[in-house]
Amino acid sequence: GQCDRAVAEYQQITKAGTSEDVATLLQEASECEQVIGFAQKALMNEDYKAAAHYFKVAMKFVDQATDLMMQKASALMGIGDYYGVISDTGKILKQH
């Protein structure tokens, strides 16, 4: 869930010299950062359904993201998906 840092790091790398792999990774990091921004904004606006969707999309970009999963669980709680809340919090507990 550290896409914002990844974008800054990849921008530094691309200044040193760009390859197709670096450009692809930079694009993915930028997309991830944008999706996380949408998710957090939706959560703040109490649009829980949209927030849950965006957090699910954002988690496809990262292997482990406890912070994103916790925020997704919060959004799921807002829409009444208690099974999803239990599932996500269980995954968080397994990671730690």
Side-chain angles (χ1 to χ4, degrees):
Q2 304 297 324
C3 299
D4 53 340
R5 281 197 235 162
V7 170
E9 290 172 6
Y10 285 126
Q11 286 174 340
Q12 290 176 351
I13 291 170
T14 58
K15 289 178 185 175
T18 305
S19 71
E20 287 184 30
D21 292 336
V22 172
T24 300
L25 292 173
L26 177 60
Q27 178 64 30
E28 287 180 18
S30 295
E31 288 175 23
C32 179
E33 179 185 32
Q34 185 177 23
V35 170
I36 290 172
F38 290 153
Q40 290 173 336
K41 185 176 180 179
L43 188 60
M44 286 176 38
N45 291 331
E46 297 180 2
D47 185 357
Y48 299 118
K49 187 173 182 179
H53 167 75
Y54 285 126
F55 281 120
K56 183 178 179 181
V57 172
M59 291 174 60
K60 291 179 183 178
F61 289 99
V62 293
D63 292 331
Q64 293 183 356
T66 302
D67 55 336
L68 294 180
M69 196 170 295
M70 194 60 153
Q71 291 177 71
K72 179 181 168 222
S74 178
L76 293 173
M77 180 70 86
I79 60 174
D81 182 357
Y82 304 116
Y83 178 78
V85 173
I86 293 168
S87 175
D88 284 352
T89 54
K91 290 175 187 174
I92 292 167
L93 292 172
K94 280 185 175 181
Q95 289 177 1
H96 295 284

